[in-house]
Amino acid sequence: MHTILQPEGWAKPVGYANGVAARGQLVFVGGQVGWNGQCRFETDDFVGQVRQTLENIVAVLAEAGGEPGHITSMTWYFTDKAEYLANLKGIGEAYRAVIGRHFPAMAAMQVVALVEDRAKVEIQATAVIPE
């Protein structure tokens, strides 16, 4: 479906790809936060919000006939780098439970705040559904 772009001689990245080439229908998933479909937060736990955020991305993608393996890139925004780093194991477990062992091109960054005050993480995704 997609081709992982890994320059010769580069160290293999863990948990992401340096680049992805794909052909098909583009799907852009707007920034999702860790609330449910009724815009209500069920937890203030960082990993819990990550899991819900990923589930939201998968739900939006499914509306276009897509699945997690079609995701080509993700941008993660979080409000506390230390909290993100302290929860890497749980984040990885939540990621694999929702997305599987598919690792698109990714970027992650700490931001001062997110628009939703209770949100600890927001993720934007791009996917390519093969034609």
Side-chain angles (χ1 to χ4, degrees):
M1 288 189 295
H2 303 108
T3 302
I4 301 299
L5 306 175
Q6 178 65 21
E8 187 176 332
W10 283 29
K12 185 177 179 184
V14 177
Y16 68 96
N18 285 307
V20 178
R23 290 182 186 210
Q25 176 188 1
L26 292 172
V27 177
F28 302 94
V29 180
Q32 298 295 306
V33 295
W35 60 18
N36 63 26
Q38 289 69 50
C39 301
R40 291 188 199 105
F41 287 93
E42 296 177 2
T43 183
D44 289 316
D45 174 70
F46 191 87
V47 173
Q49 285 198 15
V50 166
R51 184 182 188 103
Q52 182 65 59
T53 301
L54 295 170
E55 289 173 353
N56 294 347
I57 289 168
V58 170
V60 172
L61 185 55
E63 287 297 305
E67 57 189 50
H70 296 143
I71 298 170
T72 55
S73 73
M74 301 175 92
T75 304
W76 295 53
Y77 306 92
F78 40 82
T79 57
D80 187 336
K81 178 182 172 184
E83 187 172 28
Y84 171 82
L85 293 173
N87 285 285
L88 288 177
K89 182 178 179 187
I91 291 167
E93 290 169 357
Y95 184 92
R96 288 185 301 278
V98 178
I99 305 296
R101 293 196 172 275
H102 171 69
F103 303 106
M106 290 194 209
M109 65 201 75
Q110 177 176 303
V111 294
V112 172
L114 297 168
V115 172
E116 296 302 326
D117 289 335
R118 282 184 68 184
K120 295 184 173 204
V121 62
E122 183 168 339
I123 304 173
Q124 186 174 17
T126 302
V128 179
I129 302 172
E131 296 176 336

